[in-house]
Amino acid sequence: LVLIVTPGGVGSGVVVDDQGHVLSNWRTVNGFRRVNVWFKARSSSGADLSSQYTAEVVRANRSSDLALLKLDSVPEGVEPIALSEGENPERGEVVYLVGHFGTSSWRYAPGRFVNFKDRHTWLTGGRYVHKAAVLRTRMDARPASPGGVMLNGQLEMVGLNAQVAKRSPDVYAVNARSIRTFLVGEVAAKAASAVTVDWSIARELVDAVAKLRDVCKRAGLTYQHVFMREKTEAGREASLLKILSERGLHPKSSADQ
């Protein structure tokens, strides 16, 4: 777990791979391209102020309140957190919140899982609307603010804390499946339990989608027009290739232009 500091305040993040990618909340980094990051001091619950790191915001999703950062460098000995591959916790199961809760200290709080909500809506800043699948947990004591990670008994991340209820000690966390979808993309998340992420492939996929959008635009089509008509991936691919062929366009030649 790391402390993220911006001119707008402080927040929590967690290292998710060996390349220095950090998962955080969208609201923590909103409006900033680069942020300051501190790791915990070994001898206290505060930050190691002798070592400041910087990270670039490489991806953000306002709807799910998730953001991905990339550290410029990673200190030795840092191990990425394990993302739970199983189902949501059982009702009544003990879970643990670890975060900063609006402070610069590392804090810990236990609670019990209540239920899973497939569609949950909440606000931040009084105007930003978020929607995601969340885990609802009843805490022993109400945290001062959201943020941080939710861990199960195996110390695997089952959620990223996103909201604290106003009138109860309930905390809502974006669940692990939604986090995996954000990290590796919908196709990879459905295909298998993605434990490690090949970020070079992920970037290639993003570039490929951008090029397909450009090809569709050249053909006088919208990206949604092609991909909403067909129900399967194979059907979508065949439909796109057929339309492009009819117009004398080819993805490879168009992308190279």
Side-chain angles (χ1 to χ4, degrees), residues 141-154:
R142 184 179 182 275
S145 66
V149 296
M150 183 178 292
L151 307 174
N152 60 18
Q154 291 72 48

Side-chain angles (χ1 to χ4, degrees), residues 90-256:
E90 297 289 338
R91 183 177 179 86
E93 181 179 338
V94 176
V95 294
Y96 308 92
L97 267 64
V98 182
H100 298 97
F101 310 143
T103 73
S104 60
S105 299
W106 272 247
R107 300 193 175 187
Y108 152 88
R112 291 189 179 274
F113 176 69
V114 178
N115 66 308
F116 166 73
K117 297 185 67 175
D118 185 52
R119 295 181 181 179
H120 180 68
T121 302
W122 71 101
L123 290 174
T124 58
R127 56 175 177 154
Y128 297 116
V129 179
H130 309 287
K131 297 179 181 179
V134 300
L135 307 178
R136 177 188 170 204
T137 298
R138 179 66 51 86
M139 306 305 298
D140 294 341
R142 184 179 182 275
S145 66
V149 296
M150 183 178 292
L151 307 174
N152 60 18
Q154 291 72 48
L155 299 184
E156 298 170 329
M157 181 168 62
V158 295
L160 186 74
N161 305 329
Q163 180 194 20
V164 177
K166 291 183 177 180
R167 298 179 178 85
S168 72
D170 288 354
V171 172
Y172 298 86
V174 179
N175 75 337
R177 180 173 296 179
S178 298
I179 291 172
R180 183 175 292 109
T181 298
F182 172 74
L183 291 177
V184 303
E186 184 176 359
V187 174
K190 290 181 178 178
S193 56
V195 180
T196 59
V197 180
D198 188 330
W199 294 101
S200 63
I201 294 178
R203 285 190 289 270
E204 289 178 5
L205 288 173
V206 172
D207 292 341
V209 170
K211 290 176 180 178
L212 280 175
R213 290 181 186 273
D214 181 63
V215 170
C216 291
K217 182 178 180 180
R218 291 171 182 268
L221 301 168
T222 65
Y223 183 77
Q224 289 80 4
H225 175 78
V226 174
F227 286 91
M228 291 182 68
R229 288 176 57 186
E230 301 291 342
K231 302 298 183 183
T232 65
E233 293 294 333
R236 291 168 185 169
E237 182 179 358
S239 176
L240 176 61
L241 292 176
K242 179 180 178 181
I243 292 172
L244 295 178
S245 178
E246 291 173 350
R247 287 164 171 75
L249 296 171
H250 302 283
K252 182 176 180 181
S253 61
S254 177
D256 292 338

